[in-house]
Structure formats: C-alpha cells, structure tokens
Amino acid sequence: MIGAGFMGVAHSQGWRVAPRFFELPLQPEMSVLVGRDLERTRTSAECWGWSEAATDWREVIERPDIDVVDIVTPGDTHAEIAIAALDAGKHVLCEKPLANTVAEAEAMTDAAERAAARGVRSMVGFTYRRVPAATFARDLVAAGRIGEIRQVRAEYLQDWLSDAEAPLTWRLQKDRAGSGALGDIGAHAVDLTEFITGQSVSRVSGILETIVSERPLLGESSGLSGTATAERGAVTVDDLALFTGRLSSGALASFEATRFRTGRKNALRIEIAGSTGALSFDLERLNELEYYDATAPAEEQGFRRILVTEPGHPYVGNWWPAGHMLGYEHGFSHQAKDFVEAIAEGSAPTPSFADGLHVQRVLDAVERSSNADSAWTAVD
Amino acid sequence: MIGAGFMGVAHSQGWRVAPRFFELPLQPEMSVLVGRDLERTRTSAECWGWSEAATDWREVIERPDIDVVDIVTPGDTHAEIAIAALDAGKHVLCEKPLANTVAEAEAMTDAAERAAARGVRSMVGFTYRRVPAATFARDLVAAGRIGEIRQVRAEYLQDWLSDAEAPLTWRLQKDRAGSGALGDIGAHAVDLTEFITGQSVSRVSGILETIVSERPLLGESSGLSGTATAERGAVTVDDLALFTGRLSSGALASFEATRFRTGRKNALRIEIAGSTGALSFDLERLNELEYYDATAPAEEQGFRRILVTEPGHPYVGNWWPAGHMLGYEHGFSHQAKDFVEAIAEGSAPTPSFADGLHVQRVLDAVERSSNADSAWTAVD
Amino acid sequence: MIGAGFMGVAHSQGWRVAPRFFELPLQPEMSVLVGRDLERTRTSAECWGWSEAATDWREVIERPDIDVVDIVTPGDTHAEIAIAALDAGKHVLCEKPLANTVAEAEAMTDAAERAAARGVRSMVGFTYRRVPAATFARDLVAAGRIGEIRQVRAEYLQDWLSDAEAPLTWRLQKDRAGSGALGDIGAHAVDLTEFITGQSVSRVSGILETIVSERPLLGESSGLSGTATAERGAVTVDDLALFTGRLSSGALASFEATRFRTGRKNALRIEIAGSTGALSFDLERLNELEYYDATAPAEEQGFRRILVTEPGHPYVGNWWPAGHMLGYEHGFSHQAKDFVEAIAEGSAPTPSFADGLHVQRVLDAVERSSNADSAWTAVD
Amino acid sequence: MIGAGFMGVAHSQGWRVAPRFFELPLQPEMSVLVGRDLERTRTSAECWGWSEAATDWREVIERPDIDVVDIVTPGDTHAEIAIAALDAGKHVLCEKPLANTVAEAEAMTDAAERAAARGVRSMVGFTYRRVPAATFARDLVAAGRIGEIRQVRAEYLQDWLSDAEAPLTWRLQKDRAGSGALGDIGAHAVDLTEFITGQSVSRVSGILETIVSERPLLGESSGLSGTATAERGAVTVDDLALFTGRLSSGALASFEATRFRTGRKNALRIEIAGSTGALSFDLERLNELEYYDATAPAEEQGFRRILVTEPGHPYVGNWWPAGHMLGYEHGFSHQAKDFVEAIAEGSAPTPSFADGLHVQRVLDAVERSSNADSAWTAVD
C-alpha cells in the first residue's frame, strides 16, 4: 500500500478484516507500507499491520513478491504510480478520485486496458457503492422495483468549512487539491447515482461557488492540522457545487456537493423517483434504506424504512446476526473482498478505471459549464 | 352545549365545521351555550357561534326545541346532567371521562340504556378514535393485516408538570379531578387500544406515582391560570401511571400515562405487534401511520410511513386534496358527523356510555391494583 | 369572494374561523360568493357560509356594502378582477399566483400602488408564510439565530403526475395554466425562501422539463375530474423545474419543483444553512421546525425538532393548548386575521402585490434561462 | 478466549482491532482459543487470529504465559471457568449474563473480590455501555444536564420469534438458557439504565409471559440452526418481560424485553426524563443520541439529534473523522481497551462482577415477582 494518511487506515482495516469474515479464494498478505518518512511509516506499518515499511514506491512495485498495489496517496500522484504499477504487472486498487485531471485519468485508463489484456486487474475506490444499503438499492432498481427512472436527487452535504475562520489548508488550494467540494465529495454523488441507476451522466449544467473567499494562512504545522496566523490567503477551490445532469435514459438528476450545509456532517444522500416506486438513502443512517412501492393500494403506500441488516442483504450475511449495525469501515472490507475475488476469477472488477475516468469527465464538464455561464456541456 | 371551557371551543368548532365538509342527513343548529356566569357565557356564545346563552342547564334540557345535549363540563358533573338529559329524551354527547367514579358511570350507562330503548342516543367523546390514522389503524387490524395480536404498547406522554414549581391547580387535587394522569390521559390510551384492537382489557396490574408531592399554592386567580404563592400544598393525584393489562385474546398490553416525560408534549402513542405485521401511531404526528408488513420478503420489510391524507382514508376525502394535513380539531368534526348520522339512522353511536364505563372500570382496577401492591386485579 | 373551487373552500374556512379564535379589530361579514353557474354557486354559498350568490363579479365589486374582494379564480382572470376591484376602492386579497404573466402582474401592482395612496389595501395569498413554523423560522433568521445565510435549498415535491396515464387536464396545458410545476408550486418555494431569509432572488439559471410529454385526452367531463379517452395530446407545461438563484446577499439558493417525486405528496421543504446555525422545514410535518445551533459545544450540536405548538409561537396561542396540532387550513385563518388587522390599522399587508410580481419575475426569468441553455438571467 | 460461538467472533474482533486504533499501555496477544472440537476450533482460531487452539480450558488457564481469560461460553459454564481462572491469578473478562443463577453469580463475585485483593482484575461484558452515544449519555447525566431524574423507560425490542413456527431451539428451554427475553436482552436494558443514571434498581414488580407456548421440535442438526419436525415441544422460557423498577433515588423505571415486537430488530432503547432535560437512545441508530434541554426558552426546546461522531465524543476521536459511522462491533474494541488499561493501571474495571451480580438479582426479583402475582419484590 502506498500512502499513509487517514485513507490508509481505512484500507488497512479493510484488508485485515475482510479475510476473517469472508471466505476469500486468495489470502491477502499485508506486505509493505510505503510512506515519505521511514521512521513514521515504520510506526504506521506496525500499527496498521503491514510487515515492512519503505519510502521508495518505485522499488516496491518492482518487487516480485508484490501482487497488488493499493494507492491511497493524494490525487496528483495517482497517475504516475498507477501506470507504473500496472505496467509492472501488478493489480492496482486506486483510491478516488482517479486523478486530478482528465488527461491523467485517461492515461491511467489506457494503462488499465493494456494491463487487462494481460490479466492484470484495476479498480477505483468508490467505496460507498459497497455500503449494503447502496448495493441493495442498485439491486432493487435493476430488478425493476421502482420502474422507469423519472428523476434523481443526489447530494453530499458536509459543514466543516462553515466556520469562516477555519484555516487555509492544502485542500482549499486548487493547485494541490484539484477542486474543492466538487471533486472530493461531488464525485461520490455522481458515482453513486450512476451505480444505483445503471445509467451515466451525459451532459451537465452547473455552478461552482466559493462562499468564503479568504481564510487565515496556516503557520508552521506538522500534519493535517496547524495554527491559523493573522495573514489571509485566497481560497482557490469551490465550497459548493450545484449542477444538473442528463442521464442516458433522458432523465434529469440534480446534484449538490457542499461543505457549508451547517448541521450536516456526512450526508451523502440519494433519492430516486421511478414510475412505480422510489428509493431514498442517507449515509448518516447507512444501515437503512427507504423504499416506496407505488404499486401498493394508494392508502397503504409509504416510504418504508428497511434496516439493511438481514442475512439476505448484500454482504451482510457474513457479519453479525440480523439487526446488528455496520459502520463506515465495512465498505473497505467489501471492496477488498470483491477485488480479491475478481483477481482470483480473472474477471473485471468494478468500478473500473474507465468508470473513474467517466466521473472525472463529469466533474470537468461541470467546471467548464460553470465557467460558461452554466451552459449545458457535454461530458467527454 | 353545557360547559364553556377549552373543550367547549373544540366541540363548537366541530359542530360548526362538520356540516360544511360533510353531507349530513340532519343539520345541527347551535342553539344554547350554558355556562356559570351569564355575561361571560354570552361572550363565549357569540364568539363560538351559539345563538343563546344560559346559566341553568336544567331549564335548557327541558326545552322542546333542544334535541341534542353536548356536555363539556368537568367530570364530576357529567352524571347528573347526562342522566337528566337522557331522561328528558335528549340525545347526549358527553366528553370523556364519562364520570369521576365507576358508580356514576354505571348510573349513566343505565340511563343510556333506558334512553336507547326509546330511540335516544348517547356517545362519549373519545375523539382520538376519529383521527383518520387511528381509524385507519383499526381498519387494518380488522382486515387482518397484522394477523393475530401478540402485544401492545400504549402510552400518553406529556411534560407540563416537569417543572416542580408549577402551581397546585385543581387538576392536581383528587377531590376535584378524580385522578391525575391516569384518568386524564391514560383513559385515552386505554380507549384507543380497545378501539384499534377490537379487544377489551380484562385484568390489570399497575402502579400510580406522584413524583412531585408538594407544589406552591395558587393565590387568587381568575380562570385556569394564577400566581403561585409561597405556601405549599399536597398533590393528591398521580403524576405517572404504569400498568399492564390482559386483553380479551390473552395478549398483554403495557400502558403509561405521564405528565413528566420531559420533551414529550402530547405523545399519545400506540404500537401493536401482530403475527404478520405491526402498526405504530403517534399523535404528535397525527397525519401519519406506520405500518409493517411481515409477509413481505425479509429483505424488503420495514415500517412504512403512510401519510393518512389520501381520499380513500377514513374521513379524509371530505377535506382537502391528498397531502394536505389535518389538525387536532378535525376529530371533533368527525365526532359530530358520526353522532348526527347515528341519530338520523337510528343506530347506536360509538363509543357508547357502556364503552366509557368500561374504561372507567379499567382505571378503577388500576387504582385498586396500585393500592394492593400491584396485584393483578379484575376489571369489573 | 370571487371563485368557487377548492381554494374557495379554504378561504371561506379562513374567513369563518378567524374571528372565532382571534380578536379582530373589524368583524368580517361573508356577503357574496360569485361563481359562474348561479345554481351551483348558491349551493356552495350556503355550504361555505356566504349570505348571497351571484354570477357577475363586476356588479358585486361596485356594491357599496362590499369592502373586501377575495379572488380565488384561476390565474388568467386575476388581473382584470383585481384591478377593477382596487379601482372601485375595495381591499383585495388575491390568491397566488398573482397573475399568469409578468405584464398582468405589473398592471396589478400599479393598481395596488394607486389604491394604497387612497388607503385601499391589497395582499397576495402565499399562505404557507403563515404556517406557524414558517413564520417562526423567519423570526429566528431575523433575530440572527443562524448568523449570515450561506446557502439555501428549497423544494416543493409532489407525485400526482407519476402515473403516465393520468389524463391531460387543463393544468397540463400552457395556454390555460400558464406553467406547470414552476408556477403552481415552485412559486411557493421562491416566496417562502424570500420570506424566511428576508432576501430576494436577483438572478437565476435553470431548466424546465416535461417528463411525460403525451397523455390521454379527457372525454366530456364536469368539474375537475373526467374520464381518459384513447386519444392522446401533448403536455405543454413543465413537470419539473430545477433552478438556482442568487440571493441579494450573494448566497446561492437551489430550487426544485416537481410533480414526479414518487412518494412525496406535499413536501414543501426549505433548509437554510447559516454561519452559526441552520433551519429545516417540511410542510408534510408542518407543526415541526428543525433548528441547529452551531454555537453550542461541538459535542452537543444537533438538529432539534421543535414542536411549533407552544403558546409563544406565532399565531399558536390563540388556538389550542401546547402540543395540539394545527393543519393545512389554519394558515387561511392567519391570513384573514393579518389582512383584517392591516386594513384596520391602515398599514400595508404582506405579501404585497409587488412581492407577488417579484415572484412572477423570478419564474419568468427561470423560463427564459431554460430557453437560453440555462444561462444566468436577471430577474427584472 | 474460551468459547467459539458468535460472541467469540465479536470479542476476537475487539481484541484484534483495539490496539490498532488506541494506544494501549500493554499489547494484547491473542494466544489460545478454547473450543469443544479441536478441528473446528483450529479453523476458528486461524480465522479469528488466535495463535493456538485447545479443548481443555482447565489446562489453558493454568499456563503461565496466559494473563487474561476471556469467557464467551454459554451462561451455565461461566461460574466454574471464571472462578478457576481468577483463582489461578488470571484477569477475567466474562460475557454477560454473569451466570444463570444468583448463587453462581455470588460465588463468582466472591472470587472476583478475593482476586482483586491480589491485583487480579475482572469485568463483565455489558458492551452496550461502550457504544459512544451511551457513554456520552452517561456523561451528560453525570454533568447534571438533565437535572434530577424523574422517570426512565428502557426497552429491548426484537421480533425473531414472531413466527410461531420458528423451531424450539435450546434458547427456548429453561434448563439450558436460564431464562428467555428477560435474561438475554432484558439484562442489557437493566444494565444500561443503571449505567446511564448512576442509580440501581432496588425493587421490582413485573410479569413474564410466554406468547407462543409450543413450537416444532428440531430434528438432527449441527450448530445453531436445524430443521423443524412435525412434533412439538413446550417453550419453557419467557417471550416477553414487562416490569417496573424503583431506582435508588426513588424514581420509577419501566422495562420491556421482548422477542415479539414485530418490525423491531434490535431496538435497545432508553429514554430518561429529568427535571431540566431528557435523553433518548435507540441501538438501531447507535450513532445518534437525542438530547432535550428544558432550560432553553420554551419556543426553542426540542429533541436534538446529536450525531455522536465528533472527535470529542467518548472513544470516537481514535476512529474516523467526524461524521463517519461506527457499528456494532466497535463496542468490543472499547471494552478491550478499557480492560487493558485497567489492568495496566491496577484500577478496578467496570462493570464489575458485583455489577453483573446485581443485574442477576434484579432479573431474579422480576421472576419472583411474576410468580407472586406481580407483587413488589426487593432486589437482594
């Protein structure tokens, strides 16, 4: 695994726990953790369960005892590492966003396709697809349980920038973060919409907005946090993205990604209205799915709160008895399981790099639309 | 109508509004309002829409132009007025509780039965039965949609006595109010349980509790409110009633009536678990009914929030289009409508005085059980 | 009152009930109901409590005994009636939308301003402002309880067109209805946003969408309903409107108006995120307001469900005791009360015709933006 | 660890994960798993991460390289193992219920006290105390945030026996399971009440009920499941327990434990009403706590939904960023962490065996009360 931040913890937990709850066809071995500082990486490796620590990812991906490379570094490094790893014949799991630019994502997708021809697998980490309620929502749509899709609302609401005095971290600087709410969380809303509906966004119209345009500069800091100083600098990414997309069936989906929805901590929500039913999901209540069956008698229709904790629900049977809740991290075990199974079976795991590229293209089109007075802009 | 307090307003609104939304076989005329003080009663009569004001109820119930007597006085006066009115051949609607004692309620029921033999109708005002969601719940149970009833939880939660310095009004004195939470709101929980399940409570075990036993005495006051003084007096009614009842089918129902559930303002709630489904209702969200269908596939089961505002729901079609909410007072129009229809048809309206008597007997049994170390006590 | 449809019932109920619960400085008398068919209007007049029935509105507005004209006819007739009534010196309450076109609304606003100079009052019927929870939300914003407004989400979700075989009524024809979801329900979302935030929408970008473009023609019918035939006709209004608006402070508000959100019956929802708090309201739970106080310690922050049924809440003290629910129709009593009070005081009631005109201009700008590839379009 | 059922998985996950997220003063080593069948135990040991497998627990607890014994066997074996382990000088974590009888629990508590004198620690596994929302609730109560406790409602609702044809497993037989819903889940409701309130139950009145008294016998089976046969046998434990308890402060708490509340899967709920506030928790939404502050202005009071996922909440800071959900199993890591810390510090971990004994005594008193016509029965 390359990268040693918060996402590294989540992926480590996924790799470590998956084989204990799922019967995997291959046993993952957690070999090498690659970070920037050897000492710190050693500590992390030990803590998270990796056998070795290293600082040179190029060396590691050449090692013959390494089969899988898991990339959890910041987005601007994904392309270089992933392409090198795929070319070295390693299966690659790459955290989202696939890359910071469409060009990089295209190069990665090319590499993934070349690799696939040699039986080398790749996958991008839109983990929320693997929350059981989300997977179950996809299954219900696929089974025709809500009929033809009429419209979609997808939003990812957070509020951690509400405080105008929160400091100007690298995540608020375009050259380092690529984009703001759009790429960081809007990407999840797009992917989840496409996953559950089975359709893709073809055209968009939207606006990106920076709500607080100047923030205190950080003083010297180590790590993610730091102390604000008296000086101020410009926020160069979006705080809020509002856009509408046209799905392949012609239906409209409206999107919102924001870090300013005071009181909403991690509300990735999607509601899908169909001709014979509807579905509603909120990541803040990730063990629940609301389902509306419009074919019931009018007097008996209503959104029903399904606790997605029954043995028959996706992934759930391998965990605890019915009624016992799962959390954020379980999606990473599901991801690890599915990726290992695809490698073992020789099948193509999803979401593929091409899926990740497509999401990047949607985000890029939103940015272009925003720059063009919200004109409808094709995704390509 | 005899009585001119808050309940009088609600009943007046019911009588006035019902004929405008429902096609009634007979047109109610709002003739005389009877109160204690002529001047004040005149003002109320005018405000609430009664043609005349009077102070002597005996005189009024003898008037040949009066057909219906609606009693909304305090409980200790119900028996005398209702019996006199029935004996005078007037149809009687009597607000709950039917009476303050079982003996009085028995006398009233006797009078009601004598009157019924002469075609004179009587009804007791458990209005919450006529909230559309409650009536619809009864219909679902009757149609077998939750199967055999396994257990019931019914509670009426308020918090207006949470403040230990709230003054000692007449409602907290046994000689005037009869009982506390038990009779005032517990009666509703019992009636609603019996109404929706179609069963009656035959035996009970329970405890009555006074949580704050002394409160400031009221100084001179006019009306319901008044100023607390430095002196204190004893609270002689229950603040909290907890009891369990055996239903006619053998199932257990557990009850709670309290004015100390901080944060709950008017939460009359009932949840009924059956062999093939369940129902859940809360008066704080009176336009909703939650229904659980346990015959659906396990993965698709969930409590569904039905908005009971469809034209096909009980009473609803005569009000607003689907999706428009009703409020507290609409039950009083439904009550007026049903009572007028029963009179016109010559059928027996429900809940009857016998039903009201039965509820009194349940409450009385709870009190006796509480005095007997919570021993199981027969209702009779 | 001119007009005898469903809105007429609601307004009649407002006029009839308001003086019984509020002490009004002037007593409204319900004189004449004007409809098209004399016989039918007579029946309605009697049922809803009007003394007379008439068919010629011009005659009625000239009558010296008429002080107030309440217009509840379809939108295309508002301008002519309202202007005539104002010019005749009658106070005018006009149901929303103020008119079907901006030009008509402008003429009406001119007339209203002329009339105001002579002490004649006018008001447009955005009743949802007067749901206590909405008024209370406005009060909290005005008191600075959520700080500076950062972003707004407002949506009005219905689903009564989800069935693709629902017939082509006049509401789906542009020449008669003006617009679809946009004008009918989107107007409420815009007005409520402006009311609660105290700001106005200055520019918009959006799209109008017809989801089901052909529907069965109606056969001969009387009244609102009718039987579908085998022939089909084109739906010429929008089923769904998605737009973003720029508020006067610079904040963005995103809007949705739809009749295709399966499972949502009457969900007028607004959520306002501020720098120190947030508010969330849903008309399907109209007695509740959710408030988030971001100045509390981080561990104690949360959306709190306020039951807006306390005596201290707007309008509530005149109805029932705390914890007793109000319904859809109560807003009409509040509207009647406020209008009568403004007339008596000689003050300008709100929302004014100018407010109604402004909403029309916002809707018009949305339509123009939709026709211009969602380009940002000034409201003017 | 002794025992290899479902609880063994949860405890293993706790031991394995805790040291990766919390800085522990001592590093737990997962040495030996003890089961009945060596082959099967070996497989489990490997899967769950234990170094060795064994079948003779007596041998294992004598091993000098073993410091801690974790007991997750059925309740009837707890006493013998725990006492032997404590006497052998091993720290003991024992899954709830502490024992099947009060006598056994007393002997265990004696052993624990003897051991404590020698610095040997013991703890009983009421894990739900360590759900962050529950711990936070305790903290709020302790900080006086709801004032004086007025009344408590605690319930543990499940529905897995709703199906009358579900087979007669050992859990429905008194000689093997001790009791039914009372001991299995009612114990949690009692412990959580005592933990959060800081008070203990001193007297009880209640009833135990078997709703479905005969069920199909199991045919030959391996493991937990099996096939129902045509024969039927008697259910000898309770399906439903309803009881009221007197807390040390004098307040009443009402309890329900049931496996027949159709639609409720794992609803351990507690609501505590205090003189200045209230708290409400539901294990089905374990990342949330509802808090009501009755000292706010009346118009602004409401239950607020706190997402207990902030860094400042108990245990939460060591997991994921704010807004990321935890699940069922995280409590087991918290338990492991707290137990290890207590051992390292030489302090007494809670809940102690004495706490577990007290819960057993409460359950025993409920059973005696049920047999004595629900008479109030002292806990001792």
Side-chain angles (χ1 to χ4, degrees), chain D residues 330-350:
Chain D
H330 293 79
F332 293 91
S333 284
H334 305 159
Q335 177 172 274
K337 163 195 171 282
D338 289 341
F339 191 46
V340 168
E341 285 181 355
I343 291 170
E345 290 168 8
S347 64
T350 58

Side-chain angles (χ1 to χ4, degrees), chain A residues 6 96 128 155-163 171 180-186 188 211 239-240 256-269 282-284 328, chain C residues 150-151 271 273-274 292 303, chain D residues 307 321-324:
Chain A
F6 137 59
K96 57 71 44 186
Y128 293 134
E155 49 195 15
Y156 203 143
L157 315 176
Q158 299 182 338
D159 73 353
W160 55 280
L161 288 179
S162 282
D163 178 2
R171 283 177 177 275
L182 179 68
D184 186 23
I185 55 180
H188 280 298
I211 294 174
D239 290 330
L240 164 65
E256 174 171 351
T258 175
R259 294 154 166 176
F260 273 83
R261 273 288 278 272
T262 315
R264 305 302 174 189
K265 300 303 173 189
N266 205 21
L268 171 57
R269 298 169 175 177
D282 183 346
L283 188 64
E284 288 190 356
Y328 163 70
Chain C
R150 291 300 184 44
Q151 62 167 124
E271 185 164 315
Y292 187 96
F303 275 94
Chain D
L307 272 188
H324 290 70

Side-chain angles (χ1 to χ4, degrees), chain D residues 108-374:
Chain D
M108 292 169 78
T109 303
D110 286 348
E113 278 160 17
R114 285 196 308 271
R118 289 174 293 140
V120 175
R121 306 295 160 198
S122 50
M123 181 168 157
V124 62
F126 285 112
T127 330
Y128 292 135
R129 289 182 170 211
R130 292 181 159 93
V131 169
T135 312
F136 185 53
R138 192 266 323 260
D139 294 347
L140 287 171
V141 170
R145 300 300 302 278
I146 65 167
E148 193 185 324
I149 289 172
R150 289 301 184 45
Q151 62 167 125
V152 177
R153 168 75 185 165
E155 48 195 15
Y156 203 144
L157 315 176
Q158 299 182 337
D159 74 352
W160 55 279
L161 287 180
S162 282
D163 178 3
E165 295 305 306
L168 189 71
T169 65
W170 68 268
R171 284 177 176 275
L172 303 178
Q173 301 170 30
K174 192 175 175 58
D175 53 348
R176 299 177 64 190
S179 75
L182 179 68
D184 186 24
I185 55 181
H188 281 297
V190 171
D191 180 70
L192 200 60
T193 297
E194 299 194 335
F195 172 64
I196 296 180
T197 64
Q199 300 186 26
S200 63
V201 176
S202 60
R203 307 184 76 235
V204 296
S205 162
I207 184 168
L208 303 182
E209 181 84 357
T210 304
I211 294 175
V212 170
S213 56
E214 278 193 348
R215 291 181 175 272
L217 290 178
L218 270 177
E220 278 194 32
S221 78
S222 56
L224 286 171
S225 57
T227 319
T229 64
E231 280 178 279
R232 285 171 176 268
V235 174
T236 47
V237 298
D238 57 290
D239 290 329
L240 164 65
L242 297 169
F243 55 103
T244 304
R246 183 72 71 182
L247 296 177
S248 22
S249 70
L252 287 177
S254 86
F255 296 92
E256 174 172 350
T258 175
R259 294 153 166 176
F260 272 84
R261 272 288 277 271
T262 314
R264 305 303 174 188
K265 299 303 173 188
N266 204 22
L268 171 56
R269 298 169 174 177
I270 185 164
E271 185 163 316
I272 305 176
S275 55
T276 61
L279 290 168
S280 195
F281 171 74
D282 183 346
L283 188 63
E284 288 190 356
R285 287 180 168 164
L286 64 83
N287 290 284
E288 304 177 17
L289 179 68
E290 297 208 24
Y291 170 53
Y292 187 95
D293 180 359
T295 67
E299 290 76 23
E300 298 181 13
Q301 293 180 19
F303 275 95
R304 72 178 82 156
R305 179 176 81 106
I306 300 172
L307 272 188
V308 188
T309 56
E310 292 295 309
H313 285 132
Y315 304 108
V316 173
N318 286 60
W319 295 101
W320 313 107
H324 290 70
M325 303 298 133
L326 299 186
Y328 163 69
E329 72 203 60
H330 293 79
F332 293 91
S333 284
H334 305 159
Q335 177 172 274
K337 163 195 171 282
D338 289 341
F339 191 46
V340 168
E341 285 181 355
I343 291 170
E345 290 168 8
S347 64
T350 58
S352 66
F353 276 23
D355 294 329
L357 165 61
H358 173 73
V359 171
Q360 289 304 111
R361 283 178 170 154
V362 172
L363 306 183
D364 183 68
V366 171
E367 204 161 341
R368 286 182 288 130
S369 172
S370 179
N371 289 336
D373 197 32
S374 297

Side-chain angles (χ1 to χ4, degrees), chain A residues 1-2 10 33 42 66 77 80 91 94 114 121 151 160 174 206 209 211 230 252 260 272 288 305-306 308 324 332 341:
Chain A
M1 189 170 73
I2 302 169
L33 178 68
R42 235 173 227 150
I66 296 290
T77 61
E80 189 180 11
H91 309 293
C94 181
R114 284 196 308 271
R121 306 295 159 199
Q151 63 168 123
W160 55 280
K174 191 174 176 59
E209 182 84 356
I211 294 174
L252 287 177
F260 273 83
I272 305 175
E288 303 177 17
R305 179 176 83 107
I306 299 172
V308 187
H324 289 71
F332 293 92
E341 285 181 354

Side-chain angles (χ1 to χ4, degrees), chain A residues 60-143:
Chain A
V60 173
I61 65 171
E62 297 297 339
R63 279 170 53 164
D65 63 325
I66 296 290
D67 298 310
V68 173
V69 174
D70 183 359
I71 305 172
V72 292
T73 52
D76 55 356
T77 61
H78 286 182
E80 189 180 11
I81 304 173
I83 293 169
L86 287 167
D87 287 348
K90 312 301 184 191
H91 309 293
V92 172
L93 171 60
C94 181
E95 186 50 32
K96 57 71 44 186
L98 190 58
N100 272 8
T101 68
V102 167
E104 286 174 345
E106 285 172 341
M108 292 169 78
T109 303
D110 286 348
E113 278 160 17
R114 284 196 308 271
R118 289 175 292 138
V120 175
R121 306 295 159 199
S122 51
M123 181 168 155
V124 60
F126 284 112
T127 330
Y128 293 134
R129 289 183 170 210
R130 293 182 160 92
V131 170
T135 311
F136 184 53
R138 193 266 321 259
D139 295 346
L140 287 171
V141 171

